[in-house]
Amino acid sequence: MTTTMNHISTPAYQKTSDLNNWRHFADMGAAATAPPKVIVKGEGCYLIDSDGNRYLDGLSNLFCVNLGYSYGEELGEAALAQYKELGYHSNWGSTHPRAVELASVVAELAPGDLNHVYFTPSGGESVEAAWKIARKYYKLRGENRWKAISRQTAYHGTTLGALSLIGIPEYRADFEPLVPTGGKIRNTRRVGRPAAETEEQFTAFLLDELDFRIQAEGPDTVAMILMEPVQNHGGMLVPPAGYSKGVREIADKYGILLVADETITAFGRVGAWFGSERYEMEPDIITCAKGLSSAHAVIGAVIVGDKVYEPFTASGVSLLHGNTFGGHPVMCAVALKNIEIMKRLDLPATVLANEGPFGARLEALTELPAVLEVRGAGHFFAIELMQTTQSGRSLTDAEKLHLYGDALLALPLEERGVMLRISIDAGDPVVCVSPPLVAGDAEFTHLTEALRDVLTAVSTVYADL
Ligand SMILES: Cc1ncc(COP(=O)(O)O)c(C=O)c1O
């Protein structure tokens, strides 16, 4: 193993973290008894901690390290060249070459007439900006529409606007009251629907609910419908046949903008440059971030279609929104290099080709008693775990925590050299499996064998309940 250890020891890092480094979404009080792991190096699809342990990064970190960890030299050279040329310039009144080039490359890859790229520093800020663009778009047309409809259990970011659109009540509760929205509609999780219901009927049921929600809100108050092509939170919810097209039709019927939050699904994750293209969503606006730079730079974007952009081109009109770091030249240079490498490796097509064989290996885990369902696309899968006993009784929260908590799942996976996200605190219990797009057969074998071992052990405990 080639591991470059830093000069600070693991305990020293952990102490520093405890004292000064306020981690995100983290229980800082728990650090005294469970100090955080300190990751010091990445190689390929693997992460190495300060004790020299090696883990397969089964989640691409936060669904973002699409290229994995072995392209630092090329990405770094691009950053260095840009630092030497122009380390910073804003993308406000004037611009710089890398923003122009990246916007053109992204517009070229984006579906349809989504030709106008507004850079941001993150996915949440892309969602925030998209909502403001939608509101302003209607104002420019003489309409006053402000509401946004989103879906249950969806995650869209943590700024107050994006947070208001999140469909996870636990994440919103501490910060209420939030920005008024148009409410949350069902996501596309089908578990629990009548066994006799066809996919077509399920789609119709979901679309009826969306239509009803818009009518209840008042169509002339609704600015946008926001959804991921494949929803991450809730467990890789692939839309049923006809759903995305049906949402598009409803949006058109009421003159509402359809916004695809592709913070995760853009740049290859589901086997296409953009998930909305694969699922025929035809959005008016796309928000993206993570894969744009494979998370090697702090950059996101809102990609806007010709129709939405047009009123902003009138003389004297400005979108009074922006930030210092949106379209930072070094971030743009790294994103350009990232896309160049992704094209060279033909990653979206490779991911699409991997989907069948990788998905089948995960699907085989459904034979284990504790596994309810496997679903997903590309390199974006979820294993949903049982919430009832074999005799049909609902598991208590304590039982779920025992079965799917660290002791039986996360730690045994780590012992087998695999890092994954197990989500049991908000929504249904799922193991998210989303390796870097450069993962191949060796990584799929490592992942699925570790999952089989661990979920077999969990199933033994589960079967006794
Ligand atoms: C679908 C979606 N939208 C928005 C966000 C927020 O992105 P960021 O953390 O870059 O603000 C995320 C983050 O995971 C996401 O998954």
Side-chain angles (χ1 to χ4, degrees), residues 418-430:
V418 167
M419 250 188 219
L420 287 169
R421 175 187 286 181
I422 296 125
S423 180
I424 54 171
D425 56 338
D428 305 296
V430 290

Side-chain angles (χ1 to χ4, degrees), residues 122-125 127 155-157 228 232 261 263-264 289-290:
S122 70
E125 287 179 73
V127 169
Y155 183 85
H156 294 295
E228 294 161 85
N232 168 40
D261 184 353
T263 302
I264 291 178
K290 304 175 185 250

Side-chain angles (χ1 to χ4, degrees), residues 2 24 28 40 67 89 100 104 117 136 148 161 170 189 217 240 272 287 314 319 328 381 419 422 424 427 440:
T2 51
H24 300 196
M28 298 305 287
V40 296
L67 271 187
H89 184 67
V100 176
S104 141
V117 183
K136 173 81 177 174
E170 295 89 331
R189 181 172 174 269
E217 291 295 329
T287 59
L319 177 68
H328 188 295
F381 283 94
M419 250 188 219
I422 296 125
I424 54 171

Side-chain angles (χ1 to χ4, degrees), residues 276-316:
S276 51
E277 182 143 54
R278 177 162 180 196
Y279 293 97
E280 298 175 328
M281 205 171 159
E282 296 181 32
D284 299 293
I285 298 177
I286 286 177
T287 59
C288 62
K290 304 175 185 250
L292 172 55
S293 68
S294 287
H296 291 288
V298 182
I299 186 162
V302 185
I303 316 169
V304 175
D306 288 345
K307 175 186 91 179
V308 178
Y309 186 64
E310 195 274 329
F312 291 91
T313 60
S315 174

